[in-house]
Amino acid sequence: MPGYALDQCGLYAVKSRTQLAARLGRSTKFIAARADKPELYKVWDEPKKSGGFRIIEAPRDDLKVIQKRIADLLQRVLPPEYLFSPVKGRSYVENALVHRGAKEVRLLDLANYFGNCTALSVFAFFRDTMKCTPDVAWTLTGLTTRSGHLPQGSPCSPILSFYICKPMWDEIAKLVHEAGCIITIYVDDVTVSGPFVAEDLIWQIKQILRGYGHSYQQKKERRHWERAAEITGVIIGPDKVCVPHRHYQKMQTARLDARVAQDEKSKASLLARARSLESQVQRLHILTRAN
């Protein structure tokens, strides 16, 4: 996969706000007017499939453009093998296929992942890891955080959360590899597999997470031994690889809703959703044959 080292990133060693504005393709005035502005977000509660709600903090379009640029620059850096999202060219399907053939699969899901990535940790990343001057680091922090944390809804929160937590993920990956197992990270979804995944290994992973200020969702923890496991939306079993039945239901529902849509805009949106779901199934079939 193409990419460059972190010290070749466009955000590395930025020495002034003027230089930062040039790297982001905007004026210094434009950047300053959008840094540390919580009012530039639309906030709402979104229901979770597992129950409860998650808080979505979606940036206004003009701020979102800057955040997309920051995300793009960071996503050009060559990622570690264990990271599958947010990585260009890697998908939830590849993330699942890595674990095909494993006798045991363990699934962990971090709780409030973005919320636990604080503004101070973002600042420390830009100042200490990216070698930006403090004023530039604070400006970047103001552009990418809201109310002291990475917001759920920002296009740069996924990649920033990884780099903020990279020491933690590297430590966990090293531990898993030394145990003879495989690990993949898909934003905040952790999958560990192998011929046998020791309970002590999972306990050590949880201890590392706690040590870095993170926790996992106990009700979402899963253990699969010699049976099919759903990994990032793909069913991986001893003798099959497929998408869950609900995927086909969503595809059929989108097609049926498009037929009765009252306006062309809604119809086009629903048809696009159906085509997207269908292309995901086709991609799964292609990747399965290739692997």
Side-chain angles (χ1 to χ4, degrees):
M1 175 175 291
Y4 44 55
L6 195 64
D7 61 5
Q8 299 300 308
C9 176
L11 296 174
Y12 190 81
V14 180
K15 301 302 182 185
S16 68
R17 290 192 180 97
T18 300
Q19 187 181 24
L20 174 64
R23 299 283 176 90
L24 298 180
R26 292 292 186 273
S27 68
T28 53
K29 184 178 180 180
F30 185 95
I31 297 297
R34 287 154 183 84
D36 196 23
K37 296 291 191 297
E39 66 273 17
L40 298 184
Y41 291 80
K42 182 180 179 181
V43 183
W44 71 91
D45 291 335
E46 186 172 283
K48 295 181 180 180
K49 292 180 183 178
S50 56
F53 295 87
R54 65 164 54 89
I55 299 174
I56 303 298
E57 299 167 290
R60 202 171 69 184
D61 286 347
D62 50 347
L63 176 58
K64 189 175 182 178
V65 168
I66 303 174
Q67 293 176 345
K68 281 184 174 180
R69 173 61 176 167
I70 293 170
D72 178 60
L73 291 171
L74 288 172
Q75 286 180 277
R76 294 180 190 181
V77 176
L78 186 66
E81 289 186 2
Y82 64 76
L83 183 68
F84 281 79
S85 179
V87 176
K88 293 180 179 179
R90 297 181 187 175
S91 73
Y92 70 96
V93 176
E94 284 96 341
N95 179 76
L97 288 175
V98 167
H99 303 280
R100 185 166 58 173
K103 279 195 172 185
E104 184 170 4
V105 176
R106 298 293 297 263
L107 304 170
L108 295 173
D109 189 309
L110 271 64
N112 193 27
Y113 182 48
F114 291 161
N116 287 326
C117 293
T118 66
L120 285 177
S121 64
V122 174
F123 172 75
F125 166 70
F126 283 118
R127 182 193 61 187
D128 302 334
T129 303
M130 297 302 287
K131 308 301 181 185
C132 294
T133 56
D135 60 333
V136 170
W138 273 123
T139 299
L140 283 164
T141 301
L143 291 169
T144 57
T145 64
R146 181 181 187 273
S147 301
H149 62 269
L150 289 178
Q152 178 87 35
S154 164
C156 64
S157 287
I159 190 64
L160 257 181
S161 66
F162 167 70
Y163 279 111
I164 290 166
C165 298
K166 189 174 185 297
M168 177 184 77
W169 292 129
D170 285 345
E171 187 175 341
I172 291 173
K174 183 175 183 291
L175 179 70
V176 171
H177 294 151
E178 288 175 348
C181 295
I182 295 171
I183 184 171
T184 60
I185 306 298
Y186 199 87
V187 188
D188 57 356
D189 290 335
V190 183
T191 307
V192 179
S193 70
F196 173 70
V197 182
E199 197 63 41
D200 182 63
L201 174 62
I202 299 301
W203 181 84
Q204 289 182 72
I205 290 172
K206 293 174 181 178
Q207 290 301 106
I208 293 171
L209 290 172
R210 292 190 187 101
Y212 282 91
H214 288 274
S215 60
Y216 65 97
Q217 300 191 58
Q218 190 171 4
K219 64 181 180 180
K220 288 189 175 183
E221 184 179 353
R222 297 288 183 272
R223 177 181 183 266
H224 300 266
W225 171 258
E226 292 190 331
R227 63 186 177 92
E230 183 176 337
I231 303 171
T232 52
V234 179
I235 303 297
I236 301 292
D239 56 355
K240 68 176 180 179
V241 178
C242 61
V243 296
H245 181 64
R246 67 176 181 276
H247 191 98
Y248 294 96
Q249 289 179 317
K250 289 178 182 178
M251 186 166 59
Q252 186 65 17
T253 298
R255 288 172 177 166
L256 292 174
D257 288 346
R259 292 178 185 176
V260 298
Q262 297 299 311
D263 60 272
E264 290 301 317
K265 185 176 180 181
S266 296
K267 182 176 182 179
S269 176
L270 289 163
L271 286 173
R273 174 169 170 74
R275 285 192 293 268
S276 174
L277 291 165
E278 185 176 357
S279 69
Q280 289 177 42
V281 175
Q282 293 173 345
R283 179 170 174 76
L284 174 62
H285 293 327
I286 292 169
L287 288 170
T288 302
R289 288 194 297 269
N291 290 274

